[in-house]
Amino acid sequence: MTARPKSNAPNGVEAIKAASNHLRGTLAEQLHNQSDHFDESGKQLLKFHGLYQQDDRDQRKAARGTEKSHSFMLRTRVPGGVLTAAQYLAHDDLAQQYANGTLRITTRQCFQFHGILKGDLQATIRGLHDALITSLGACGDVVRNVGCCPAPFHDPIRQQIQAVTRQISDHLLPRTRAYHELWIDGERVELDASAPAEVEPIYGKTYLPRKFKIAIAYPGDNCVDVYTQDIGLVAIAHADHLLGFNVIVGGGMGMNHTKVDTFPRLGDLIGFVTPEQVLQVVEAIVLVQRDYGNRSDRKHARMKYLLHEWGAARFVAAVEERLGWALASAAPMPLLENDLHHGWHDQGDGRWFLGLSVENGRIKDEGDLRLRSGLRAIIERFRPGVRLTPNQDILLTDIPQHDMPAVNAALAAFGIPLPSALSVVQRHSLACVALPTCGLALAEAERALPGVIDALEIELARLGLADEPFTVRMTGCPNGCARPYVADLAFVGRSADTYVVYVGGASNGTRLNQPYQDLVKREQLVETVRPLLELFRARRHPGERFGDFCHRVGVTTLQTLVNNPHPREEAYVANDAPVAL
Ligand code: SRM
Ligand code: SF4
């Protein structure tokens, strides 16, 4: 398998970036013309400003036409998922004023607005700017939002991790003035060839070959899924002292169903850095990808393909050459879990935080569940801190103990359940946005998963497995936005209404799952999984998780067992090795 395409000529997006005068292109002119959308190069450049040009695919289908009615998705950058009450309320106001009246928490702890019209883009971004929020670099070929474990326990390690997250994010933010000129100052920018070249000291004029993702895990808690990041950092601590970070590089989820040379990959553990070294090392890694990442084929441009092609040793040598010193060996890795941070927790500073489950990250009012209005009312009244989690949930922080009953009463008044009232499987599920806004969706995800979970809840209850924690992730295509390939169980969109079922990942994000069955219709997903759950119940080891069981038995053996429920023991063979079930 080779990651390099035959031609090394830069791809079209590289040319657009190079000619853009640091992300300006003709965006200013296009912003003010009569069209409801931007041209192709504008569309590419908008991403660096946090914007995706989209259309409502439901409407397009209903109109039976190819004519698109354009709108925009805007993603804000929220390092570590941390917002003030005022910043949350600013998002909420803008969602009402300019977007579709919902807010969407993303799997990287950001907010997305959907359905903004071109004429409202400037006002929306100015509104964010007034609340000290930016969308610069939330998308595009740069370091995206830097994530970290959001739990706000009063603990010096967590505070340092948050500080490092912010530092990395600030350091790797694009320095171009284009964002301010376009959206905030509103000046019309003329290209002036004689003007001094603007300095982008890290990115240069063609930025990175592709998107780049960084996240930091708290010792023992991999809620950010470090192995799926371009750079995953795992904090290593002794008592209250942060010793540094284990460094993992070259993770990524995206693949294509039909291109076998695209694949999800877990990162490689390459060493250990102290808190004083971390920024320098992160920058050196980003620069290696900048200089050696594939700029001819965007399907192979993520850093994971460089790792795949080079191997970790050559990659580390390139990083060390930049640093001028050698990385220390990795520290023993702490055992990792995926903590949802749900429910009420004592922060340890006299205040409490409440983790609420937000189904597939969508904050909206629907029927009796008035989540958006309820969150707004609670945040307006109690002014808590707000944190967005990589599991698409929300934490309300810094709440004095005496306010807890009133917060609970307010939740009840708006029909918002505490996580303990929800099923375990729902709480551990994620779905990407998919239809109707995502232009790459092959199938439904966010809108389909609730129905699938309802059916799964019935099965799990029937089998006495209702309290079994395992991750279920659904995406509308193989790009992997809900990180499906590390889930215990995943449904990955294949075509309009079919999915590939994956099993055998690890709940703590340390193992990839495997395809179990292809082309499963949405109505048959639970039926397909049922025999696996039955086998799991009958033959699991004590305490074994669903994904671990499927991995131990192996997909081939699972298929054999399901298709032939009473085979002789010798038939139980996985990966050509006998398996004791
Ligand atoms: Fe993603 C593209 C949504 C996290 C891998 N992703 C997209 C786009 C922008 C579609 C597009 O390019 O036109 C989706 C917009 C849908 C919409 O209408 O809102 C989209 N991705 C999302 C979000 C909102 C999913 C969610 O439900 O939360 C997440 C936003 C994160 C953020 O705040 O920055 C989101 N995307 C991810 C993740 C998970 C992560 O980062 O932890 C991944 C897998 C990890 C990785 O990057 O490998 C991911 N998104 C992709 C890919 C595949 C990239 C690749 O290497 O092949 C694409 C397609 C692309 O880049 O060409 C993509
Ligand atoms: Fe769109 Fe695919 Fe990402 Fe889902 S996984 S949001 S369908 S790109």
Side-chain angles (χ1 to χ4, degrees):
M1 200 186 304
T2 171
R4 287 265 176 205
K6 289 191 185 89
S7 160
N8 282 331
N11 62 57
V13 177
E14 290 301 314
I16 293 170
K17 289 185 278 185
S20 73
N21 184 21
H22 295 294
L23 310 180
R24 292 176 176 85
T26 57
L27 287 177
E29 289 78 358
Q30 293 194 55
L31 185 59
H32 299 288
N33 69 20
Q34 293 305 306
S35 171
D36 73 345
H37 64 284
F38 293 77
D39 68 12
E40 186 53 34
S41 66
K43 195 173 144 184
Q44 293 302 332
L45 293 175
L46 280 175
K47 295 181 189 177
F48 293 79
H49 299 252
L51 287 161
Y52 274 79
Q53 184 164 295
Q54 301 184 320
D55 76 309
D56 184 324
R57 293 174 60 185
D58 285 349
Q59 275 178 23
R60 201 198 315 165
K61 199 169 165 192
R64 290 169 192 271
T66 49
E67 195 59 25
K68 293 180 182 175
S69 161
H70 290 95
S71 65
F72 295 81
M73 178 269 272
L74 173 61
R75 185 183 294 160
T76 56
R77 190 177 169 110
V78 188
V82 180
L83 292 166
T84 62
Q87 287 173 326
Y88 178 91
L89 294 171
H91 277 94
D92 186 76
D93 287 340
L94 294 166
Q96 185 62 32
Q97 217 174 339
Y98 300 118
N100 67 358
T102 74
L103 276 173
R104 179 58 157 70
I105 305 173
T106 74
T107 50
R108 297 197 67 76
Q109 305 175 269
C110 297
F111 264 136
Q112 281 188 184
F113 303 92
H114 290 100
I116 305 176
L117 298 177
K118 189 177 163 216
D120 292 330
L121 289 176
Q122 242 175 356
T124 312
I125 296 178
R126 280 186 186 145
L128 290 170
H129 181 74
D130 290 345
L132 303 180
I133 300 158
T134 185
S135 61
L136 174 64
C139 318
D141 296 342
V142 290
V143 171
R144 305 279 185 97
N145 193 50
V146 183
C148 82
C149 177
F153 291 107
H154 189 68
D155 156 356
I157 311 283
R158 287 186 183 276
Q159 283 152 15
Q160 285 179 73
I161 292 175
Q162 280 287 349
V164 171
T165 301
R166 169 67 67 176
Q167 214 184 359
I168 295 175
S169 173
D170 290 349
H171 186 64
L172 295 167
L173 205 62
R175 312 277 166 90
T176 175
R177 286 272 312 150
Y179 182 84
H180 264 73
E181 290 166 6
L182 267 167
W183 310 109
I184 315 297
D185 304 341
E187 292 165 17
R188 285 179 64 91
V189 183
E190 304 303 334
L191 280 175
D192 176 1
S194 64
E198 194 168 27
V199 180
E200 259 318 350
I202 295 175
Y203 293 123
K205 66 178 187 171
T206 49
Y207 295 81
L208 297 180
R210 205 62 163 86
K211 56 176 72 165
F212 196 101
K213 301 182 172 179
I214 303 176
I216 310 184
Y218 181 79
D221 183 1
N222 189 24
C223 61
V224 293
D225 267 335
V226 269
Y227 286 93
T228 67
Q229 311 284 327
D230 293 272
I231 304 179
L233 300 169
V234 180
I236 305 292
H238 179 66
D240 275 356
H241 184 55
L242 178 67
L243 301 175
F245 302 90
N246 272 351
V247 182
I248 297 166
V249 293
M253 296 276 94
M255 57 165 259
N256 184 298
H257 287 305
T258 53
K259 292 195 170 67
V260 291
D261 59 352
T262 63
F263 43 84
R265 183 179 195 276
L266 295 186
D268 298 306
L269 178 60
I270 59 163
F272 171 84
V273 295
T274 64
E276 295 71 33
Q277 295 168 333
V278 66
L279 198 58
Q280 193 190 357
V281 171
V282 164
E283 182 182 315
I285 295 168
V286 170
L287 294 183
V288 169
Q289 161 68 354
R290 181 196 68 185
D291 294 346
Y292 298 101
N294 186 328
R295 288 188 186 259
S296 54
D297 178 1
R298 285 184 69 79
K299 286 268 169 248
H300 290 112
R302 294 296 297 275
M303 196 171 78
K304 66 179 175 182
Y305 294 110
L306 197 57
L307 263 298
H308 175 74
E309 190 179 325
W310 280 8
R314 181 173 165 195
F315 185 87
V316 171
V319 173
E320 290 178 343
E321 193 184 324
R322 283 198 172 272
L323 292 171
W325 46 272
L327 289 175
S329 304
M333 194 60 114
L335 284 177
L336 296 172
E337 277 298 325
N338 174 5
D339 195 333
L340 300 173
H341 310 300
H342 283 168
W344 281 107
H345 300 269
D346 185 347
Q347 291 180 185
D349 60 356
R351 292 168 299 170
W352 290 68
F353 81 87
L354 172 62
L356 289 171
S357 174
V358 178
E359 194 167 32
N360 302 323
R362 185 69 68 176
I363 298 181
K364 62 181 177 186
D365 287 352
E366 192 170 75
D368 293 338
L369 174 51
R370 292 187 298 133
L371 181 60
R372 187 170 154 233
S373 302
L375 283 174
R376 182 172 184 101
I378 290 168
I379 293 169
E380 269 179 334
R381 178 171 162 202
F382 299 96
R383 310 299 293 189
V386 174
R387 296 198 180 187
L388 309 180
T389 84
N391 282 299
Q392 300 172 327
D393 292 327
I394 194 164
L395 314 181
L396 304 177
T397 74
D398 307 315
I399 299 174
Q401 191 168 13
H402 59 80
D403 281 340
M404 287 166 62
V407 171
N408 282 335
L411 290 171
F414 286 93
I416 304 170
L418 284 171
S420 53
L422 300 171
S423 73
V424 176
V425 67
Q426 180 185 326
R427 290 168 53 194
H428 285 83
S429 67
L430 290 181
C432 74
V433 178
L435 293 164
T437 52
C438 178
L440 305 179
L442 304 172
E444 296 278 355
E446 182 186 324
R447 298 192 298 192
L449 190 60
V452 174
I453 293 290
D454 287 349
L456 208 47
E457 281 169 353
I458 295 170
E459 270 320 308
L460 290 166
R462 187 180 68 81
L463 293 167
L465 295 172
D467 294 330
E468 197 54 42
F470 62 93
T471 45
V472 183
R473 297 180 178 178
M474 180 182 251
T475 55
C477 85
N479 280 318
C481 297
R483 299 185 291 270
Y485 309 113
V486 284
D488 292 78
L489 171 64
F491 308 122
V492 175
R494 181 77 154 96
S495 66
D497 203 29
T498 69
Y499 296 81
V500 186
V501 175
Y502 285 77
V503 295
S507 298
N508 67 358
T510 53
R511 186 179 58 236
L512 291 176
N513 49 25
Q514 300 294 322
Y516 167 74
Q517 196 164 322
D518 197 0
L519 292 171
V520 181
K521 286 213 169 296
R522 194 199 320 171
E523 319 79 73
Q524 283 160 0
L525 288 173
V526 174
E527 211 174 292
T528 304
V529 173
R530 181 186 299 134
L532 299 179
L533 292 170
E534 285 168 351
L535 279 171
F536 169 61
R537 185 184 65 161
R539 295 164 180 247
R540 71 192 290 194
H541 289 166
E544 193 173 35
R545 296 271 178 102
F546 179 65
D548 297 337
F549 167 80
C550 293
H551 173 72
R552 175 172 62 80
V553 176
V555 163
T556 315
T557 307
L558 288 171
Q559 287 160 341
T560 310
L561 287 169
V562 166
N563 295 328
N564 176 19
H566 304 293
R568 291 149 48 98
E569 285 296 315
E570 305 88 86
Y572 299 166
V573 170
N575 305 325
D576 299 322
V579 173
L581 284 174

